[in-house]
Amino acid sequence: MTTKTNASATEQHESSMFDAVLARLDTAAKIYGLSEDVAVVLRNPLKQVKVSLPVMMDNGKIQVFEGFRTIHSTILGPSKGGIRYAMDVCDDEVKALSAWMTFKCAVANLPYGGGKGGIKCDPRKMSIGELERLTKAYTTALADVFGPDKDIPAPDMGTSAREMAWIVDAYNKVYRGNFPGVVTGKPVGLGGSMGRETATGRGVMVATLAALKKMDIDPKKVTAAVQGFGNVGLNAALLLSVQGIRVCAIGDHTTTIWNEKGIHIQGAIRYAKENGGVLKGFTGGVEIKNTELLTANVDILVPAALQNVITEEVAANIKAKLIVEGANGPTVAEADHILQEKGIIVVPDILANSGGVTVSYFEWVQNNYGHYWTEEEVNIKHDSSMREAFEHVWNNAQQYKTSLRIGAYITALKKIELGVKAKGNY
Ligand code: NAD
């Protein structure tokens, strides 16, 4: 898929991202029999904040950026969710992503609600100094929203441990103290957790293995295609290949590579590191069109870049028998039934990419304790938590005779409903 085609797919569905969440919520609520009193709360985000961020650019001129933060729910605990830097960040997208976080945290059995934030900017076109000033302006503007027991951001597309360290610094200056638990995904040594950087990709790997086991398929005999070579895609591709899965296609916004014999993922990672973080020019396979990756002749498809890439048209042409959603919202709601009719198993985003928020929770626990675990300890806890979440979702899907996606929503709704009932209303 070319960037242009992706952009138009995104634009086409952008206005309906929150509607896509509601469509799945309503389907799950109906099948499960959720009380309307709970459903109506979940259809409406708790708080939506929009800020204007004047930033001094390197050329000496002020540029004003739009920043967003939505708290969808705090029923199960403080809101948790990443911060995205991208040009298509908007109210609707942040609202949808915040709602997904509510369901994701509930599926992962974490004591958190859901939130999400973002800044409309193109981080690739900004200097490090500009990004630092923008991040600190955003933190200062939202200092009364964030808080270690209120709302805890983390990295998402376009942000990383670097931005999280800047957020902690700005937050600490506002409140004149040391509050590492205000964000997760920090650098190790500054309150970050071992294993956090690779956690989302690791979770994708664990979910893939769990699904293959249910399907009675040997991982060593299957092939995969991974879209996106950032935090999620790169680590997912690497860890899948370590498990013996032949990764035949990888791609980012600059290029897509195909190699039937399997791509040398460590070589691709090395290449990207030496070439500005992108795959353009990597010679470990032949270049194919971006669109061809999603419909490639592989057993497993891992969309780990953008939302809304699996449209109805793409769904009709997918050959993989298993889709593991590393990205948030890669499948449009209208494509769900096509995938289901084709018998394709879809491990939904709110389960498949919950490894990141699970280790974020571990980081927050370690910050609160002031005691830090080894990578091995983190990975063991993560893997068992992911497997348990997968089992719950699988069992709910079986019990309610529905897809894993709706099974995941039902898993979340059961927990949220208990929370609402226990807390009561006024
Ligand atoms: P990232 O910024 O690290 O990487 C994004 C990747 O997508 C890059 O390789 C980029 O080149 C690629 N990309 C962009 N446009 C593309 C296009 N048109 N075609 C193919 N590839 C394209 O972001 P990330 O953190 O890896 O996040 C990716 C997805 O995973 C997002 O949907 C995000 O919300 C979701 N997610 C991330 C985390 C996390 O811990 N980082 C956790 C859960 C979910």
Side-chain angles (χ1 to χ4, degrees):
M1 186 173 291
T2 62
T3 307
K4 197 162 170 257
T5 317
N6 259 339
S8 57
T10 306
E11 276 155 25
Q12 196 186 328
H13 290 278
E14 202 163 56
S15 62
S16 66
M17 249 184 106
F18 189 63
D19 289 347
V21 179
L22 296 184
R24 272 88 173 236
L25 169 63
D26 287 346
T27 306
K30 201 167 160 201
I31 294 176
Y32 169 55
L34 184 74
S35 115
E36 179 53 24
D37 282 351
V38 179
V40 73
V41 173
L42 293 174
R43 282 195 207 105
N44 296 281
L46 206 58
K47 186 189 277 191
Q48 289 172 267
V49 186
K50 187 173 169 198
V51 288
S52 294
L53 306 167
V55 173
M56 177 66 76
M57 304 304 279
D58 291 347
N59 63 9
K61 291 201 163 64
I62 297 279
Q63 191 175 329
V64 179
F65 293 85
E66 283 177 289
F68 304 84
R69 185 79 186 165
T70 293
I71 308 241
H72 175 259
S73 168
T74 53
I75 291 167
L76 296 179
S79 46
K80 188 87 193 77
I83 294 172
R84 178 176 285 197
Y85 287 2
M87 282 311 288
D88 53 9
V89 166
C90 63
D91 287 309
D92 180 71
E93 182 182 280
V94 173
K95 207 160 68 161
L97 290 163
S98 72
W100 274 321
M101 285 308 298
T102 299
F103 301 120
K104 194 184 297 185
C105 291
V107 167
N109 204 16
L110 306 176
Y112 288 142
K116 201 83 183 189
I119 303 178
K120 189 178 167 69
C121 67
D122 185 349
R124 290 191 203 108
K125 293 197 176 135
M126 295 172 69
S127 71
I128 292 181
E130 288 170 342
L131 284 168
E132 181 176 349
R133 293 193 289 280
L134 176 62
T135 305
K136 290 186 171 174
Y138 179 72
T139 311
T140 312
L142 290 168
D144 54 346
V145 174
F146 299 161
D149 295 313
K150 274 163 65 176
D151 178 44
I152 309 149
D156 192 72
M157 264 173 93
T159 59
S160 65
R162 181 181 67 182
E163 284 72 18
M164 299 307 113
W166 290 336
I167 292 177
V168 175
D169 183 58
Y171 188 86
N172 284 349
K173 281 181 177 136
V174 171
Y175 289 104
R176 298 185 181 275
N178 188 32
F179 306 94
V182 69
V183 289
T184 58
K186 298 175 291 291
V188 172
L190 258 188
S193 175
M194 299 296 286
R196 172 59 185 92
E197 206 176 324
T198 52
T200 311
R202 186 173 182 89
V204 168
M205 178 270 285
V206 174
T208 305
L209 294 187
L212 288 174
K213 199 166 174 199
K214 296 284 184 197
M215 295 162 81
D216 204 17
I217 294 176
D218 179 355
K220 299 210 163 42
K221 293 191 177 141
V222 289
T223 54
V226 181
Q227 185 187 52
F229 211 62
N231 177 286
V232 184
L234 177 155
N235 288 301
L238 178 64
L239 293 167
L240 290 176
S241 71
V242 168
Q243 293 300 322
I245 293 171
R246 189 148 45 97
V247 180
C248 296
I250 54 172
D252 64 8
H253 69 286
T254 64
T255 187
T256 308
I257 309 287
W258 169 262
N259 186 337
E260 203 174 343
K261 292 190 180 134
I263 293 165
H264 190 277
I265 301 298
Q266 263 144 347
I269 293 173
R270 218 174 304 122
Y271 180 87
K273 270 196 183 135
E274 287 161 6
N275 290 277
V278 296
L279 287 168
K280 186 87 200 152
F282 176 63
T283 52
V286 293
E287 189 166 16
I288 56 167
K289 283 194 207 139
N290 197 325
T291 26
E292 289 171 340
L293 184 143
L294 297 170
T295 55
N297 195 10
V298 289
D299 303 298
I300 306 164
L301 174 63
V302 180
L306 307 168
Q307 61 249 20
N308 297 331
V309 288
I310 303 182
T311 58
E312 289 159 279
E313 195 191 335
V314 170
N317 291 306
I318 285 179
K319 295 175 196 72
K321 29 186 176 287
L322 172 64
I323 299 176
V324 186
E325 295 183 337
N328 283 311
T331 308
V332 304
E334 298 80 6
D336 281 349
H337 75 278
I338 300 175
L339 298 172
Q340 209 172 346
E341 277 158 21
K342 288 176 75 175
I344 299 171
I345 305 265
V346 181
V347 184
D349 45 11
I350 58 171
L351 169 62
N353 68 36
S354 65
V357 73
T358 297
V359 176
S360 271
Y361 166 63
F362 296 159
E363 180 174 327
W364 183 74
V365 169
Q366 292 170 80
N367 293 154
N368 289 342
Y369 268 92
H371 171 74
Y372 290 84
W373 306 334
T374 63
E375 185 162 8
E376 200 191 354
E377 283 173 293
V378 171
N379 286 346
I380 289 171
K381 285 182 210 293
H382 163 272
D383 293 2
S384 89
S385 164
M386 270 310 286
R387 281 192 214 106
E388 201 176 306
F390 187 93
E391 275 309 308
H392 282 150
V393 169
W394 184 272
N395 292 340
N396 277 317
Q398 299 279 309
Q399 185 187 338
Y400 291 90
K401 297 186 176 35
T402 186
S403 63
L404 285 182
R405 186 181 314 281
I406 299 303
Y409 275 83
I410 291 175
T411 307
L413 291 179
K414 285 183 173 182
K415 294 204 177 108
I416 295 165
E417 186 180 42
L418 278 179
V420 172
K421 286 191 177 152
K423 281 182 158 176
N425 283 297
Y426 55 91

